[in-house]
Amino acid sequence: QVQLVESGGGLVQPGGSLRLSCAASGSIVNFNVMGWYRQAPGKERELVARITLGGTLMYVDSVKGRFTISRDNTKNSLSLQMNSLKPEDTAVYYCYGASPIRDYWGQGTQVTVSS
């Protein structure tokens, strides 16, 4: 069993930056895909960004050029650098990992973009 724990959320003004981190309690070296999802109030959870074991990246159109996802298999961690934040980025952000056996989810961290 691997636990994923997010950190780094908070309140930021529009145009500001935040860096989310996801720490895994075990090895992520065999996680084929890791990613960040978000869920805003009254909306469905959506994929924000993902990265494969081979380093292939994918971003939802609304965050392209503003967010950067990265993973460090040696530190068992996943990060999401978020720049030029907008009010519509406000949501609970979840860390996700797909191992060959099962999927894992973190508990979520709140990001609020407001002046």
Side-chain angles (χ1 to χ4, degrees):
Q1 290 282 354
V2 175
Q3 289 185 326
L4 302 178
V5 179
E6 303 96 335
S7 62
L11 173 64
V12 64
Q13 292 186 342
S17 298
L18 282 176
R19 184 176 181 85
L20 303 183
S21 297
C22 174
S25 62
S27 175
I28 63 169
V29 70
N30 64 342
F31 279 36
N32 295 318
V33 178
M34 295 198 75
W36 291 94
Y37 283 72
R38 66 186 179 187
Q39 187 167 19
K43 296 187 176 181
E44 293 186 354
R45 190 175 295 190
E46 67 167 349
L47 175 64
V48 176
R50 68 181 183 204
I51 180 169
T52 69
L53 193 57
T56 300
L57 307 177
M58 174 270 173
Y59 298 94
V60 67
D61 285 346
S62 60
V63 308
K64 284 180 179 178
R66 300 188 297 122
F67 290 10
T68 303
I69 188 172
S70 60
R71 66 188 284 177
D72 187 335
N73 293 334
T74 64
K75 297 181 179 179
N76 297 320
S77 65
L78 180 73
S79 297
L80 185 69
Q81 177 66 42
M82 305 186 295
N83 299 327
S84 302
L85 283 161
K86 304 175 181 180
E88 50 264 43
D89 294 318
T90 295
V92 177
Y93 284 71
Y94 298 90
C95 176
Y96 163 81
S99 77
I101 299 174
R102 55 161 288 184
D103 295 346
Y104 294 91
W105 290 91
Q107 82 289 348
T109 185
Q110 177 70 45
V111 172
T112 302
V113 185
S114 174
S115 56

